[in-house]
Amino acid sequence: MIFFVLFSRWNKKVDCNKLKTSMIFGRKKVCYFVVLVTMGLFYIIQNSPGKSAQRLEDAVKTMDLYEERLNMNLNDTMTTGLEVARERERLLMAIEERIIGFLYRIPDYSYIGSLETYLKYRPNLLAQFPAAVPLGKGDYSISSNYGTRIHPISEKEKKHYGIDLAAPSGTKVHATASGTIKELGYSPKGYGIYIVMRHRFGFETIYGHLEKVLVHKGETIAQHQIIGTLGNTGNSTGYHLHYEILKNKEKIDPRPSFDLKKKIYARLFKGNPEMEEEN
């Protein structure tokens, strides 16, 4: 509103109608200019940190409400099985209408708790974003966690943006989610031989210090598919995999993703050895 008042005053003061044609916008161009500026201001306001935080908070409250109602539905003993099933399906459909926007908006795994009951009924979603360990069961030990540490080479305090998984040379490295190979490269003073994968909902994963790459750029990959082998390339002091997760281009702690699929599936397929082996 302030913009339009200022523009109106400027228009009267300058008297645009009296300026030479060669030095002013035509009336239509002025209108286009006003519309574009208005749209730009609207976009900036709508995407300001305060607005984004409020939308995320509202989305979390909504998902928490659905989570609560789903749990009540599971514990409902007062109505018939058919009525309970119908209500559950309505709740699941309501969540599905919002799930994509919610998953794109969340900044890290701390918000996944709002979806745990939903994921029990739609577990295939867990294949579309990082929700597994990149190495086989029992094939590794965590040698360095996410966070500030003393760098093993420089011996200076530095932020470590991933998790280091120590394992023997040649250990198979698995994709932690379905997606596309975004980048393959070699950084002698960094990740060494590395792979970058793009997944749904704003997630990316990085696999560094590899010995060998077994995929191609642009290739579509399934969750758990072998993409390379563990090595000691680049800025490394021993055989290990450096694993990172990016969410909306920000690096986040990968650790909460490690047990996510296993935890959800364990509730669905308790005692199923094949399912436990897959996860």
Side-chain angles (χ1 to χ4, degrees):
M1 197 65 190
I2 295 174
F3 172 81
F4 287 110
V5 172
L6 293 174
F7 182 81
S8 178
R9 290 177 180 174
W10 174 84
N11 189 53
K12 290 178 180 178
K13 184 176 180 180
V14 175
D15 195 3
C16 289
N17 294 325
K18 294 180 180 180
L19 294 176
K20 293 181 179 180
T21 305
S22 60
M23 300 184 64
I24 62 170
F25 292 116
R27 183 172 294 178
K28 287 185 178 180
K29 289 184 178 180
V30 170
C31 291
Y32 292 148
F33 174 74
V34 172
V35 170
L36 287 173
V37 170
T38 304
M39 290 174 64
L41 290 172
F42 178 78
Y43 177 83
I44 292 170
I45 293 171
Q46 286 298 110
N47 290 276
S48 64
K51 283 282 186 180
S52 297
Q54 184 61 51
R55 284 199 297 269
L56 175 60
E57 184 180 342
D58 293 343
V60 171
K61 287 179 180 179
T62 300
M63 289 301 176
D64 283 343
L65 177 62
Y66 282 128
E67 175 80 1
E68 183 179 347
R69 289 174 63 185
L70 274 173
N71 282 317
M72 290 174 61
N73 176 273
L74 293 174
N75 298 318
D76 189 354
T77 58
M78 303 298 292
T79 52
T80 66
L82 182 60
E83 290 174 344
V84 170
R86 285 175 176 170
E87 172 63 15
R88 184 182 310 142
E89 195 59 32
R90 283 195 290 269
L91 289 170
L92 292 171
M93 291 297 293
I95 295 174
E96 284 174 9
E97 290 177 359
R98 297 168 173 81
I99 193 71
I100 294 177
F102 180 76
L103 285 172
Y104 271 110
R105 190 170 289 131
I106 61 174
D108 54 48
Y109 284 89
S110 63
Y111 297 86
I112 295 293
S114 301
L115 301 174
E116 284 201 6
T117 306
Y118 170 81
L119 291 170
K120 288 170 64 177
Y121 290 94
R122 299 292 189 266
N124 290 338
L125 194 64
L126 289 164
Q128 299 180 42
F129 61 88
V133 182
L135 299 181
K137 186 177 181 180
D139 288 344
Y140 68 92
S141 62
I142 296 177
S143 57
S144 187
N145 280 299
Y146 176 93
T148 303
R149 66 168 186 174
I150 301 298
H151 194 277
I153 296 177
S154 68
E155 297 184 349
K156 294 180 180 179
E157 190 173 79
K158 189 177 180 181
K159 185 68 178 286
H160 188 234
Y161 289 102
I163 286 183
D164 290 345
L165 307 175
S169 173
T171 298
K172 295 175 181 177
V173 177
H174 305 261
T176 56
S178 60
T180 305
I181 302 299
K182 176 183 176 181
E183 182 182 344
L184 304 173
Y186 175 69
S187 174
K189 296 183 179 180
Y191 294 139
I193 298 173
Y194 67 89
I195 297 172
V196 181
M197 281 192 67
R198 181 188 290 118
H199 313 284
R200 290 194 71 189
F201 313 121
F203 284 96
E204 290 187 4
T205 50
I206 299 175
Y207 310 78
H209 307 306
L210 302 175
E211 178 181 76
K212 188 184 298 183
V213 169
L214 303 175
V215 291
H216 304 285
K217 185 176 180 179
E219 185 176 351
T220 300
I221 304 296
Q223 188 181 48
H224 304 303
Q225 183 175 332
I226 298 170
I227 58 175
T229 58
L230 182 146
N232 186 28
T233 58
N235 197 16
S236 172
T237 58
Y239 290 102
H240 74 284
L241 172 71
H242 176 80
Y243 175 65
E244 293 184 10
I245 296 179
L246 286 80
K247 180 64 170 74
N248 300 333
K249 299 183 179 180
E250 296 289 335
K251 295 182 179 183
I252 64 173
D253 187 355
R255 192 67 184 88
S257 73
F258 278 20
D259 297 323
L260 183 60
K261 185 176 181 181
K262 182 178 180 181
K263 181 170 64 175
I264 299 296
Y265 271 56
R267 296 174 186 172
L268 287 170
F269 305 100
K270 190 174 182 181
N272 186 330
E274 291 184 4
M275 188 59 63
E276 290 178 0
E277 184 67 27
E278 179 186 349
N279 298 299

